[in-house]
């Protein structure tokens, strides 16, 4: 029963409570993003959800639009200022995803929604991560986040799909708070966040 209605009701309840009690936090962050990084305040991008259905995911903007002399965007590392790094380190940039949770496109806990172009690069095992709603946090996020390999992430994602329950979700939520305070696994070695997934058909 938890995997159906109860998990969804918990998602809605927690998202509504958080958005109601901490709306002032979102307003302050929005003001700071506008002042330090400019418009738009929100970063919007298509991501695949449950069963690969595409939805528009919302995050607070953390990068600038700085370009080189030829009009090309600079690398992620060059466009990620100290304020953007702070937003990512504290996961405050993820807060607008609570709106995606209310809409039923995401869950509080589940495999993180990745890029749409990765869909055709997954093997049959990796595709199983899309059998559930993607999450704001997940089993892979508390076990290394961006500091582990893609294969490790996908193994953890599929483990979650087959084994999640109420107690595991609560454990993940509490450990996520701990990870945020420790600022653990924010980026891969040598990357601003993580390297691109090129595909693994094995």
């Amino acid at each position: 029963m938890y995997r159906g209605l109860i998990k969804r009701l918990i998602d809605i309840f927690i998202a509504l409570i958080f958005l109601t009690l901490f709306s002032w936090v979102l307003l302050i962050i929005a003001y700071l993003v506008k002042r330090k990084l400019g418009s738009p305040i929100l970063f919007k991008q298509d991501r695949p959800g449950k069963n690969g259905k595409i939805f528009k995911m919302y995050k607070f903007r953390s990068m600038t639009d700085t370009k080189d002399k030829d009009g090309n965007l600079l690398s992620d590392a060059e466009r990620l200022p100290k304020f953007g790094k702070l937003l990512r380190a504290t996961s405050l940039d993820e807060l607008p995803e609570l709106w995606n949770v209310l809409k039923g496109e995401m869950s509080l806990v589940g495999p993180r929604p990745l890029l749409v172009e990765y869909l055709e690069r997954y093997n049959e095992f990796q595709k199983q991560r899309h059998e559930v709603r993607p999450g704001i946090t997940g089993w892979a996020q508390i076990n290394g986040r961006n500091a582990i390999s893609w294969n490790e992430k996908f193994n953890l994602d599929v483990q979650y799909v087959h084994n999640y329950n109420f107690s595991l979700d609560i454990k993940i939520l509490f450990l996520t708070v701990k990870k945020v305070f420790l600022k653990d696994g924010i980026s891969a070695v040598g990357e601003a966040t993580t390297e691109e997934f090129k595909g693994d058909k094995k």
Side-chain angles (χ1 to χ4, degrees), residues 2-199:
Y2 174 73
R3 291 191 170 208
L5 180 62
I6 294 179
K7 180 177 173 69
R8 178 67 188 133
L9 289 176
I10 291 174
D11 281 343
I12 294 171
F13 177 76
I14 294 179
L16 279 174
I17 291 296
F18 194 95
L19 287 172
T20 300
L21 294 181
F22 297 100
S23 58
W24 59 275
V25 175
L26 275 74
L27 290 173
I28 290 175
I29 296 173
Y31 169 76
L32 292 174
V33 169
K34 172 69 174 178
R35 182 177 178 183
K36 294 178 178 293
L37 302 178
S39 296
I41 294 171
L42 292 179
F43 170 77
K44 296 177 281 188
Q45 189 176 56
D46 287 341
R47 295 292 176 95
K50 185 176 181 181
N51 299 320
K53 183 178 180 181
I54 308 301
F55 70 96
K56 191 79 68 178
M57 189 184 76
Y58 301 95
K59 299 174 69 172
F60 279 121
R61 181 183 183 184
S62 58
M63 288 185 178
T64 67
D65 288 329
T66 308
K67 299 177 181 179
D68 62 21
K69 61 181 180 180
D70 297 318
N72 301 310
L73 284 173
L74 298 178
S75 67
D76 288 356
E78 293 174 297
R79 294 188 295 117
L80 187 63
K82 289 183 179 180
F83 178 68
K85 291 179 181 178
L86 177 63
L87 286 180
R88 293 191 177 191
T90 55
S91 293
L92 290 173
D93 62 320
E94 310 278 359
L95 291 180
E97 292 169 30
L98 290 168
W99 176 243
N100 292 118
V101 172
L102 287 180
K103 293 171 66 179
E105 298 161 337
M106 292 180 66
S107 177
L108 294 174
V109 182
R112 282 293 297 166
L114 301 175
L115 299 178
V116 173
E117 52 262 40
Y118 290 179
L119 284 173
E120 61 183 21
R121 304 178 189 178
Y122 296 139
N123 59 36
E124 292 303 313
F125 175 78
Q126 295 162 350
K127 288 178 182 178
Q128 295 179 69
R129 69 191 308 279
H130 289 291
E131 293 178 7
V132 299
R133 288 187 181 92
I136 294 179
T137 186
W139 189 229
Q141 279 58 54
I142 64 166
N143 284 286
R145 201 172 174 180
N146 287 326
I148 59 177
S149 71
W150 280 112
N151 280 334
E152 289 174 305
K153 288 180 188 178
F154 292 140
N155 286 338
L156 290 166
D157 286 343
V158 175
Q159 283 179 23
Y160 175 81
V161 169
H162 291 297
N163 299 290
Y164 78 92
N165 52 41
F166 176 74
S167 60
L168 180 59
D169 279 1
I170 293 299
K171 177 181 179 179
I172 290 171
L173 288 172
F174 276 105
L175 288 177
T176 296
V177 175
K178 178 181 177 181
K179 287 282 184 178
V180 168
F181 277 109
L182 292 177
K183 300 180 181 179
D184 189 20
I186 297 166
S187 61
V189 176
E191 301 286 341
T193 52
T194 189
E195 62 180 349
E196 179 184 356
F197 174 61
K198 299 294 181 61

